[in-house]
Structure formats: C-alpha cells, structure tokens
Amino acid sequence: MASDQTIQPAQPKRPKKRYSQKVNDRRSGYLFVSPFFILFGIFGVFPLLFTAYLSFHRWNILGTREFVGFQNYSLLFTDDPLFWKALGNTISIWLISTIPQLIAALIIAFLLNQAFLKGKAIFRLGIFMPNVTSVVAVAIVFSAMFGTQYGIINYVLSLFGIDPIHWRGSYFGTHVAISTMVMWRWVGYNSIIYLAGLQSISKDLYEAATIDGANKIQQLISITIPLLKPIIIFTVLQSTIGGLQIFAEPMLFGVGGNYQGLTVTLYLYEEAFTRFSFGYAAAIAWLLFFIIILFSLVNVFLTKKIKST
Amino acid sequence: MKEVGEKKLSKIVLYFFLIVSALLSVFPFYWMYVIGSNSTNAINKFPPAVIPGTSFADNAAKVFERIDFFGALLNSFIISGAVTLSVLFFCSLAGFAFSKLQFKGRDGLFIFLLATMMIPPQLGLIPNFMIISELGWLDDLRAVIVPAMVTAFGVFWMRQYISSSVPFELIEAARIDGCSNFRTYWNIVLPAVRPGLATLGIFTFMGTWNDFLWPLVVLKDRSVHTIQIALRTLNDVYYTDYSMILSGTFMATLPILVVFLIFNRQFIAGITEGAVKD
C-alpha cells in the first residue's frame, strides 16, 4: 500500500533512472535502519532469550550450570516468602504513590488550564522541575527529610502535636516515604501531560455546560475526565510499568529490618549481583515481566470501564 | 455582587493551591542547600536549622576528599555526551529511512521496533552483564555507551518528526540535483529537523545522566563511577554526615538543573507532543 506512494510523482520522466533509484532506496533503507536492529539483536533479543534459558538452570558466576527445569519457578511460587513479601511491598508502594499522584496531577492540570491564570509558565516550570532530578538525589534528600530524630517532616508534624514517626522502622513509614519520593518526582510530569490534553478539548463544550448551569466540579466529571480518557490510560500505563520496577529509591532509603522496603527489582538485583544466583534471578525477571503485563492489561481495562459514563 | 465575591474566593483558592504545589516542588532543592550549607551539628538538633548556613565550602571540601567528584562528573559528561551524539545520528538516519525511503518490510520492521519499547530493561539485565564481561568492558565506559547508542524511542521520535516536517518535494528536488540518499539526509533532512533533534537530544542527555541501575552493575571501580554512582557511594559509606552528603547532592544536581532551566521550553513541549500524539 504505502510502497506505491513514492513511485508516482516522477513516473512520467525516465523509467530507467526510477528503477535505479528504487534499488538505491532499498539498499540505503536497510543500511540506515540496520544499526538499531544489530544493537537490539545483541543487547535486546539475545538477552531476552538467554534470560529464559538461564531461568531453567542453576547457574552461578563460576560458570557451574545444571538444568533444573521449572525448579526455580516452583521455588519462587511455593518456597520463597521473601519474594512474595517483595511483591507485596512493590504493589503497596505502587498504589500509595500512583493514586494520589495521578489525582493531584489532574487537579493541578485543571487549575493550570484556567484562562484567567497569570504566571502559568512559572508554575509549570516549578511543578515540572522535580522530574529532571536524578532518582539518587531525590532518594538522598528525602531520606534526610524523613529522618526520625532530626528530619524536617517529623519536625513539621510535631508542630501539629503528632509524635515523631519512625519512618524506617515500620511498613507504613517506609512505604509512605518511598511513595513520597516517587510522587514528588512524577506529579509535575503527569500534570504537564494532562494539561496538554486539556488544551486540546474545545472551549465550546465548557461554555455550553456553563449555559446549562453545570458548575466546575460537574464539568470536570462529565466533560474533562471522559475526554481525557486516552491520556489517562497512557499515564496509568506508564506509572504501572515504572512503579512495578522501582529500585533506586528503596535501595538508597534502606530496606529496613523486616525487609519492608524490599521490592521485586531490588530482590532481583541482590539475587543476581550479590548472591550471584543468575538462574534464580532470571526466573524472577521473567515473573516480573508477566506481572507487569498482567497489571497493565487489568489497569487499561479498569480505566476504560470506570470513565465511560 | 455575590457572584463576583465567589469568583474572587475561588481565584484565591486556586492561586493558593498552585503556589503550595510549586513550593512543595521546589522545597527539596532548597533543603539540599540548607543541609549542605550547615554543619552537621546545626542539622542534628530539634528544631533543625531552616535557613542556609555558611559551611557549604567546608562540606564541599569533604566531598572532594572522599570521592573523585569531578572525575565522576566528567565520566557522566562523557557517557551522556557520547550517547546523545550517537542517538541523534543513528536515530535520525533510521527515522529518515522509515519515513522517506521505500524498502520491503519497512512497515513491519517499524512495528517491531515499536514493540521492543514494551520490554522492561530488567529482563535482559543478567545476560547483558555477561556479554559486557565477555567483551572485557566491565569498568569501562563503553559498557554504558555502546548498548545505548541507538534507541527505539529515538527512531520513533525522529520518524514522526521527519514525516510531519520534511515534505516529499524537498527530497525529490535533492534527488534531481543528484544527491545520494546519505547526502539528502545530511544536507537536506538534518538541517530541517533541528528542533526535533534538540528535543530528543535533551531527553537522551538527561535520561543517560540520571541512569542508575545499569551503571551500578557494570561500573564498579571508583575511577569509572558516574556522578550518580559516586553519590550513592557517598550516601552508603558516610551515611552519618548528612551535611557533607547533601552538599555533594546539591553540586551534582546543579548542572542538570541549569541545563533544564535553559532548555525547559523544548523539554516540556517534547513531553506533551510524545504523549498527545500517541
């Protein structure tokens, strides 16, 4: 279909030259796209398959290997409470960070889209700034802020008469601290995306709704959210894929005595690069991949359902 | 009259909410500097110091003693610079081919390329580590540069950009003048897509600069640490000295913040284009 397009324009001229141009195009076409496919073959396709192969072996860094079939997987499912703990932590952190994050982003975008607002560019810049900061820097500064004894957050809470919270000592504290880092880094990013979506919605719709007597909240629920649906799905997907792979924040904040900060990717990393059980880590990697796909599909399904009222 | 009053109130609420959001976004940057510029004694008390102190130079000097800060900065710069240049060249070249050249299987290859973006990087982590160690590239900057030299996202981005901003007549005209495909790309297409290159370049540079997991795995020796890995070392080994750690963090964040403030328009525009066009 598409291949007919280029042949047309110059056809009346010289058919012979056209033919050589066609051969030329084919040669340079393959040549020009080949770097991606070669690199992806080496660092993408091969590792993907090899991870699958590894996951059926007991394999360590000394190179001793032994085919064990599905043993790594059955071990993961039946005899590894730490893996399930890591999965539970990952999902908990992901929920605590994603839901408020997307709601806050939506509200901020809605406010930024008000016509009378002055200083839009400054607000946008400020809100977006966290996103360019490295995860490492974010994790370090928030670790300081969430300090139990001298952290600014406990200090602020104490002004409201709340006793110091031992952020590193409990599931709740650790999950909230890590989720806060994620939220801080991504609210602005999602606001900017929603804002772009909002700007593409026609003003007439809102004017008509105002004439019909709908207030701002009603407009948000019955015009804005349904029309933003594709973009909401996009952001939900992105936060699912990113959130389930969370690694640097818990690593730098510390997993804590009960492993309450251990996430799946962190567990994978430790199995692979501190205990060097490559086979087992490979099985974790594939399982994580399936979990991400599963969650993405469920989320897309749910987002589609809820919003189409 | 009453309505005007209500409007005013909702305006105040709106500004208040936005100002609070913006302050929360900026506060941690300020806090980095507050802790980094006070002595540890001033930090470790209740209530803590909340305004910048005068010890920044002392803390920074301690950072320079403990890690090779400028060496790490240089490594990050070399890696990010090399990756960015390479991504801009190979991705725009492939984007040109996907958008303006005809060859068999082109559309199929492009869909395949899009599909590869779904694969999480962790899936290939261990085999990639094995490949790099087979190549003898552990503790070598090439371990981070080479696998990132051309990305699916970059090709996708450049293809969309070239399709929408380089008309076919321009390509045809170059051909009539006898340009080869590469010359057409180099002399006609590249100059025409400069804004697209700028956006992709900023994205790539920042993403590479902030990358953590892969460099952590393959760059073990201090001499090849990127700034992120060096910061992590600082945080792990000297975790009691928050003033020193945060002065290092502040200094490491400053360059990327400056880059962002200079290019923020392209950056923000780029993100929205990517999302809305999907």
Side-chain angles (χ1 to χ4, degrees), chain A residues 76 79-84 86-87 90 246-247 255 259 261-275 280-281 284:
Chain A
L76 267 178
D79 201 22
D80 190 354
L82 206 53
F83 172 76
W84 294 100
L87 184 61
T90 309
I246 187 167
F247 169 75
V255 295
Y259 295 104
L262 186 71
T263 60
V264 176
T265 304
L266 192 49
Y267 187 49
L268 186 164
Y269 171 81
E270 288 188 345
E271 280 298 321
F273 299 109
T274 57
R275 282 187 279 283
Y280 198 60
I284 297 173

Coordinates of all heavy atoms in Angstrom, one line a residue, chain A residues 76 79-84 86-87 90 246-247 255 259 261-275 280-281 284:
Chain A
L76 N 10.1 -20.3 43.6 CA 9.6 -18.9 43.8 C 8.1 -18.9 44.3 O 7.7 -18.2 45.1 CB 9.6 -18.2 42.4 CG 10.8 -17.3 42.1 CD1 10.7 -16.7 40.7 CD2 11.0 -16.2 43.1
D79 N 8.1 -21.7 47.9 CA 9.1 -21.8 49.0 C 9.9 -20.5 49.2 O 11.0 -20.6 49.6 CB 10.0 -23.0 48.8 CG 10.6 -23.4 50.2 OD1 10.0 -23.1 51.2 OD2 11.6 -24.1 50.2
D80 N 9.4 -19.4 48.8 CA 10.2 -18.2 48.9 C 9.3 -17.0 49.4 O 8.9 -16.1 48.7 CB 10.8 -17.8 47.6 CG 11.8 -16.7 47.7 OD1 12.0 -16.1 48.8 OD2 12.5 -16.3 46.7
P81 N 9.1 -17.0 50.8 CA 8.3 -15.9 51.3 C 8.8 -14.5 51.1 O 8.1 -13.6 50.9 CB 8.3 -16.2 52.8 CG 9.3 -17.3 53.1 CD 9.6 -17.9 51.8
L82 N 10.2 -14.4 50.9 CA 10.8 -13.1 50.7 C 10.3 -12.5 49.4 O 10.1 -11.3 49.2 CB 12.3 -13.3 50.8 CG 13.1 -12.0 51.2 CD1 12.5 -11.4 52.5 CD2 14.5 -12.3 51.3
F83 N 10.2 -13.4 48.3 CA 9.8 -12.9 47.0 C 8.4 -12.3 47.2 O 8.1 -11.3 46.6 CB 9.8 -14.0 46.0 CG 9.2 -13.6 44.7 CD1 9.8 -12.8 43.8 CD2 7.9 -14.0 44.4 CE1 9.2 -12.3 42.7 CE2 7.3 -13.6 43.2 CZ 7.9 -12.8 42.3
W84 N 7.5 -13.0 47.9 CA 6.1 -12.6 48.0 C 6.0 -11.3 48.8 O 5.2 -10.4 48.5 CB 5.2 -13.7 48.5 CG 5.2 -14.8 47.5 CD1 5.9 -16.0 47.6 CD2 4.5 -14.8 46.3 NE1 5.6 -16.7 46.4 CE2 4.7 -16.0 45.6 CE3 3.6 -13.9 45.7 CZ2 4.2 -16.3 44.4 CZ3 3.0 -14.2 44.5 CH2 3.4 -15.4 43.8
A86 N 8.4 -9.1 48.8 CA 8.9 -8.1 47.9 C 7.8 -7.6 47.0 O 7.6 -6.5 46.7 CB 10.1 -8.6 47.1
L87 N 7.0 -8.6 46.5 CA 6.0 -8.3 45.5 C 4.9 -7.5 46.2 O 4.4 -6.5 45.7 CB 5.4 -9.6 45.0 CG 4.3 -9.4 43.9 CD1 4.8 -8.7 42.7 CD2 3.7 -10.8 43.5
T90 N 6.1 -4.0 46.7 CA 6.1 -3.3 45.4 C 4.7 -2.8 45.1 O 4.6 -1.6 44.7 CB 6.6 -4.2 44.3 OG1 7.9 -4.8 44.7 CG2 6.8 -3.4 43.0
I246 N 10.3 -0.3 40.5 CA 11.0 0.6 41.4 C 12.2 0.0 42.1 O 12.1 -1.2 42.5 CB 10.0 1.2 42.5 CG1 10.7 2.3 43.3 CG2 9.5 0.1 43.3 CD1 9.7 3.1 44.1
F247 N 13.3 0.7 42.1 CA 14.6 0.1 42.5 C 15.4 1.0 43.3 O 15.8 0.8 44.5 CB 15.3 -0.4 41.3 CG 16.8 -0.8 41.5 CD1 17.0 -2.0 42.2 CD2 17.8 0.0 41.2 CE1 18.3 -2.4 42.4 CE2 19.1 -0.3 41.4 CZ 19.4 -1.5 42.0
V255 N 16.2 -1.0 53.1 CA 15.1 -1.9 53.1 C 14.5 -2.1 54.5 O 13.4 -2.6 54.6 CB 15.4 -3.2 52.4 CG1 15.7 -3.0 51.0 CG2 16.5 -3.9 53.2
Y259 N 12.7 -6.2 56.1 CA 12.6 -6.1 54.6 C 11.4 -5.4 54.1 O 10.8 -5.7 53.0 CB 12.7 -7.5 54.0 CG 13.9 -8.3 54.3 CD1 14.0 -9.3 55.3 CD2 15.1 -7.9 53.6 CE1 15.2 -9.9 55.5 CE2 16.3 -8.6 53.9 CZ 16.3 -9.6 54.9 OH 17.5 -10.2 55.1
G261 N 11.1 -2.6 52.9 CA 11.4 -1.8 51.7 C 11.9 -2.6 50.5 O 12.2 -2.0 49.5
L262 N 12.0 -3.9 50.7 CA 12.5 -4.7 49.6 C 11.5 -4.8 48.5 O 10.3 -5.1 48.7 CB 12.7 -6.1 50.1 CG 13.4 -7.1 49.1 CD1 14.9 -6.7 48.9 CD2 13.3 -8.5 49.6
T263 N 11.9 -4.4 47.2 CA 11.0 -4.5 46.1 C 11.5 -5.6 45.1 O 12.6 -6.1 45.3 CB 11.0 -3.2 45.3 OG1 12.3 -2.9 44.8 CG2 10.5 -2.1 46.2
V264 N 10.6 -6.0 44.2 CA 11.0 -7.1 43.3 C 12.3 -6.9 42.6 O 13.2 -7.7 42.5 CB 9.8 -7.4 42.3 CG1 10.2 -8.5 41.4 CG2 8.6 -7.8 43.1
T265 N 12.4 -5.7 42.0 CA 13.7 -5.4 41.2 C 14.9 -5.4 42.1 O 16.0 -5.9 41.8 CB 13.6 -4.1 40.5 OG1 12.4 -4.2 39.6 CG2 14.8 -3.9 39.6
L266 N 14.7 -4.9 43.3 CA 15.8 -4.9 44.3 C 16.2 -6.3 44.7 O 17.4 -6.7 44.8 CB 15.4 -4.1 45.5 CG 16.5 -3.7 46.5 CD1 17.7 -3.1 45.9 CD2 15.9 -2.8 47.6
Y267 N 15.2 -7.2 44.9 CA 15.4 -8.6 45.2 C 16.1 -9.3 44.0 O 17.1 -10.0 44.2 CB 14.1 -9.2 45.4 CG 14.2 -10.7 46.0 CD1 15.0 -11.0 47.0 CD2 13.4 -11.7 45.4 CE1 15.1 -12.3 47.5 CE2 13.4 -13.0 45.9 CZ 14.3 -13.3 46.9 OH 14.4 -14.6 47.4
L268 N 15.7 -9.0 42.8 CA 16.3 -9.5 41.6 C 17.8 -9.1 41.6 O 18.7 -9.9 41.3 CB 15.6 -9.0 40.4 CG 15.9 -9.4 39.0 CD1 14.8 -9.0 38.0 CD2 17.2 -8.9 38.4
Y269 N 18.1 -7.8 41.8 CA 19.4 -7.3 41.8 C 20.3 -8.0 42.8 O 21.4 -8.4 42.5 CB 19.4 -5.8 42.1 CG 20.8 -5.2 42.2 CD1 21.5 -4.8 41.2 CD2 21.2 -4.9 43.5 CE1 22.8 -4.2 41.3 CE2 22.5 -4.4 43.7 CZ 23.3 -4.0 42.6 OH 24.5 -3.5 42.8
E270 N 19.8 -8.2 44.0 CA 20.6 -8.8 45.0 C 20.8 -10.3 44.8 O 21.9 -10.8 45.0 CB 19.9 -8.6 46.4 CG 20.1 -7.2 46.8 CD 19.7 -6.8 48.2 OE1 19.0 -7.7 48.8 OE2 20.0 -5.8 48.7
E271 N 19.8 -11.0 44.3 CA 20.0 -12.4 43.9 C 21.1 -12.5 42.8 O 21.9 -13.4 42.8 CB 18.7 -13.0 43.4 CG 17.7 -13.4 44.4 CD 18.3 -14.5 45.4 OE1 18.9 -15.4 44.9 OE2 18.0 -14.5 46.6
A272 N 21.0 -11.6 41.8 CA 21.9 -11.7 40.7 C 23.3 -11.2 41.1 O 24.3 -11.9 40.7 CB 21.4 -10.9 39.5
F273 N 23.4 -10.1 41.7 CA 24.8 -9.4 41.8 C 25.4 -9.4 43.2 O 26.5 -8.9 43.4 CB 24.7 -8.0 41.2 CG 24.3 -8.0 39.8 CD1 23.1 -7.6 39.3 CD2 25.2 -8.6 38.8 CE1 22.7 -7.6 38.0 CE2 24.8 -8.6 37.5 CZ 23.6 -8.2 37.1
T274 N 24.6 -9.9 44.2 CA 25.4 -10.1 45.5 C 25.4 -11.5 45.8 O 26.4 -12.0 46.4 CB 24.8 -9.3 46.7 OG1 23.4 -9.6 46.8 CG2 24.9 -7.8 46.4
R275 N 24.4 -12.3 45.5 CA 24.5 -13.8 45.7 C 24.9 -14.5 44.4 O 25.1 -15.7 44.5 CB 23.1 -14.3 46.3 CG 23.0 -13.9 47.7 CD 21.7 -14.6 48.3 NE 20.5 -13.8 48.0 CZ 20.2 -12.7 48.7 NH1 21.0 -12.2 49.6 NH2 19.1 -12.1 48.4
Y280 N 18.2 -18.2 39.3 CA 17.1 -17.8 40.1 C 16.6 -16.4 39.8 O 15.4 -16.1 39.6 CB 17.4 -18.0 41.6 CG 16.2 -18.0 42.5 CD1 15.3 -19.0 42.4 CD2 16.0 -17.1 43.5 CE1 14.2 -19.1 43.2 CE2 15.0 -17.1 44.3 CZ 14.0 -18.1 44.2 OH 13.0 -18.2 45.0
A281 N 17.6 -15.5 39.7 CA 17.3 -14.1 39.3 C 16.6 -14.0 38.0 O 15.7 -13.2 37.8 CB 18.6 -13.3 39.4
I284 N 13.1 -14.7 38.4 CA 12.4 -13.5 38.9 C 12.1 -12.5 37.8 O 11.0 -11.9 37.8 CB 13.2 -12.9 40.1 CG1 13.4 -13.8 41.2 CG2 12.6 -11.6 40.6 CD1 14.4 -13.3 42.3

